[in-house]
Amino acid sequence: SAVISQKPSRDICQRGTSLTIQCQVDSQVTMMFWYRQQPGQSLTLIATANQGSEATYESGFVIDKFPISRPNLTFSTLTVSNMSPEDSSIYLCSVERQGKGYTFGSGTRLTVV
Amino acid sequence: QQQVKQSPQSLIVQKGGISIINCAYENTAFDYFPWYQQFPGKGPALLIAIRPDVSEKKEGRFTISFNKSAKQFSLHIMDSQPGDSATYFCAASYTGFQKLVFGTGTRLLVSP
């Protein structure tokens, strides 16, 4: 399965600031997915990122709050903007490999204080 | 309906016992049903997956049972070990949907 590297692995941020999370995949993929996992909860899809086009956001998530970049087929970033304590979560990057299912990175644990 | 309902929320099993986690779905278009295992501080890892053309799939101690008519699928962990203690998520998707819909998760504790 694909190897996914996420940076940073964790961070503590002040409210009102922004954090950019990076996701690097070891091979080219068409789609990259960003998920949020709130403490003790399941995974919720934030958006799907295609290279060369705007990301597609799920209901309840907006581009102004979670801008995404996808400059090439192996890399994507998710920014959490104007953070509040409610944004404290684990943010996960995921890709699908044909015939091999969906693989997840180890996540970015964000705490907003 | 894109929901996947998972039960139980938590489970305690003795070492050597069988752990059983159940999921149910509504959308008959779903054709891919994976199970993920997540340890604290880690991302979910794909454990085993099934498509509806088979009723059962086994990989080592892990078995998925699939009941298409009931729209249910379950994960069985045979000879459960303390190292299996983790949170397990079922999920569903379908060709062309290109998203995973996750269940709510089951926290499994295998006591020594």
Side-chain angles (χ1 to χ4, degrees):
Chain A
S1 57
V3 174
I4 302 175
S5 300
Q6 261 187 258
K7 291 181 182 180
S9 59
R10 59 177 61 227
D11 207 341
I12 301 173
C13 300
Q14 295 291 323
R15 69 172 67 201
T17 63
S18 298
L19 176 72
T20 295
I21 302 166
Q22 299 180 3
C23 179
Q24 178 75 52
V25 189
D26 66 345
S27 59
Q28 294 182 344
V29 291
T30 303
M31 290 181 154
M32 296 178 77
F33 304 90
W34 287 99
Y35 285 83
R36 181 176 72 182
Q37 186 175 26
Q38 293 177 303
Q41 302 296 313
S42 187
L43 288 81
T44 302
L45 182 63
I46 297 171
T48 302
N50 285 326
Q51 194 266 336
S53 63
E54 266 197 24
T56 302
Y57 289 82
E58 297 300 303
S59 175
F61 298 96
V62 295
I63 187 171
D64 289 347
K65 177 68 176 176
F66 298 101
I68 287 171
S69 78
R70 182 79 201 273
N72 58 53
L73 291 173
T74 62
F75 187 79
S76 178
T77 67
L78 170 76
T79 299
V80 186
S81 303
N82 187 25
M83 289 184 285
S84 67
E86 291 70 36
D87 294 319
S88 297
S89 293
I90 300 172
Y91 292 86
L92 294 146
C93 172
S94 175
V95 301
E96 185 197 10
R97 298 292 297 278
Q98 189 69 22
K100 296 187 183 297
Y102 295 80
T103 304
F104 286 81
S106 55
T108 296
R109 183 178 294 270
L110 171 62
T111 302
V112 184
V113 297
Chain B
Q1 268 286 27
Q2 303 291 35
Q3 276 188 317
V4 178
K5 296 181 180 178
Q6 183 171 347
S7 63
Q9 189 174 10
S10 62
L11 182 61
I12 300 175
V13 173
Q14 285 200 329
K15 179 181 175 182
I18 302 173
S19 304
I20 302 174
I21 304 170
N22 301 299
C23 283
Y25 62 97
E26 288 295 323
N27 189 346
T28 55
F30 285 143
D31 63 3
Y32 175 67
F33 303 92
W35 284 90
Y36 284 85
Q37 179 189 56
Q38 185 178 31
F39 293 105
K42 302 291 186 182
L46 179 63
L47 197 57
I48 186 172
I50 197 169
R51 294 199 179 268
D53 51 342
V54 296
S55 60
E56 186 175 281
K57 183 174 181 179
K58 184 176 180 180
E59 290 184 1
R61 295 184 295 110
F62 301 93
T63 299
I64 299 179
S65 296
F66 183 78
N67 186 329
K68 189 174 182 178
S69 61
K71 292 186 284 187
Q72 295 175 349
F73 59 109
S74 60
L75 176 69
H76 296 233
I77 305 175
M78 312 300 287
D79 187 26
S80 299
Q81 298 297 313
D84 297 329
S85 297
T87 300
Y88 292 81
F89 293 97
C90 63
S93 184
Y94 60 86
T95 305
F97 187 48
Q98 293 176 316
K99 304 176 192 178
L100 278 176
V101 178
F102 279 88
T104 49
T106 297
R107 186 168 295 185
L108 171 66
L109 176 64
V110 181
S111 59

